[in-house]
Amino acid sequence: MSAPRRATRGLGAALLLLLAVAAGAARTLEGVVVAVNDGDTLVVRSGGRNLRVRLAEVDAPELHQPYGYQARELLSRLVLERTVRLEVVTVDQYDRLVAHVRMEDGRDVGEELLRAGLAWWYRQYSRNRQLQQLERQAREQRRGLWAEQDPVPPWLYRRMHPIVR
């Protein structure tokens, strides 16, 4: 399949899902995690399709940042090859589903990353005070990336190190 055709097929699926989410339907999906790209991005096999998923309301370090690989490792340990529930919030500019990802025991993956000190509460896209509190606790206890003197948030790191897409 050609690249433009693949892109169109992915875009069509993303648009249909976005319309369904906007209409209040199909907000929750279930599937098996087949890949973990980094600390906040994964691939879920659901309904015969591979869905690229970005965790909602948290931002993990980029892989080349301190604790980037640790964040990916924790995410892999929590969900790789396991069934998860996606609570879809939106579709982002890269055609990824932005979703809260819940493990079979009901725990939210983003909360677990924050608790371990391996992600930032993404305050630009969230008003969730519980997530803010989890980040604050990890900072106070100097867990994970908060053991660093002055950790660079991933949104600033991305600005300083742009990637050609």
Side-chain angles (χ1 to χ4, degrees):
M1 184 180 296
S2 69
R5 190 164 176 208
R6 275 194 308 270
T8 301
R9 191 172 87 177
L11 182 61
L15 285 174
L16 285 175
L17 186 58
L18 181 59
L19 290 172
V21 168
R27 272 197 110 107
T28 303
L29 301 169
E30 198 169 277
V32 174
V33 177
V34 296
V36 173
N37 300 346
D38 57 29
D40 55 30
T41 310
L42 45 94
V43 179
V44 175
R45 184 83 177 155
S46 178
R49 293 182 181 265
N50 284 346
L51 306 172
R52 293 183 323 135
V53 179
R54 169 73 166 75
L55 298 181
E57 300 186 77
V58 299
D59 201 3
E62 297 297 322
L63 288 177
H64 297 293
Q65 284 187 263
Y67 295 91
Y69 285 100
Q70 290 91 329
R72 181 174 69 177
E73 176 62 29
L74 176 58
L75 185 57
S76 294
R77 282 195 323 256
L78 292 173
V79 298
L80 188 59
E81 298 178 355
R82 293 193 171 99
T83 300
V84 296
R85 188 175 77 242
L86 306 177
E87 297 167 359
V88 180
V89 176
T90 190
V91 176
D92 72 9
Q93 64 188 4
Y94 305 110
D95 292 327
R96 299 175 299 190
L97 302 181
V98 177
H100 291 277
V101 177
R102 295 204 179 270
M103 297 178 281
E104 289 179 308
D105 65 7
R107 288 183 296 158
D108 182 278
V109 176
E111 289 178 10
E112 294 303 313
L113 286 165
L114 286 168
R115 196 171 276 117
L118 294 174
W120 276 259
W121 169 55
Y122 212 166
R123 59 186 49 82
Q124 178 182 350
Y125 298 104
S126 173
R127 298 290 172 250
N128 186 324
R129 297 300 176 203
Q130 179 180 350
L131 298 179
Q132 179 185 29
Q133 182 62 27
L134 289 171
E135 180 187 296
R136 182 180 300 124
Q137 289 169 353
R139 281 178 185 249
E140 289 169 356
Q141 296 172 8
R142 303 191 58 75
R143 285 186 293 221
L145 61 91
W146 303 112
E148 297 287 314
Q149 184 67 28
D150 194 19
V152 176
W155 53 89
L156 294 179
Y157 180 87
R158 287 189 293 269
R159 254 188 253 148
M160 296 183 299
H161 302 89
I163 302 172
V164 178
R165 295 194 190 261

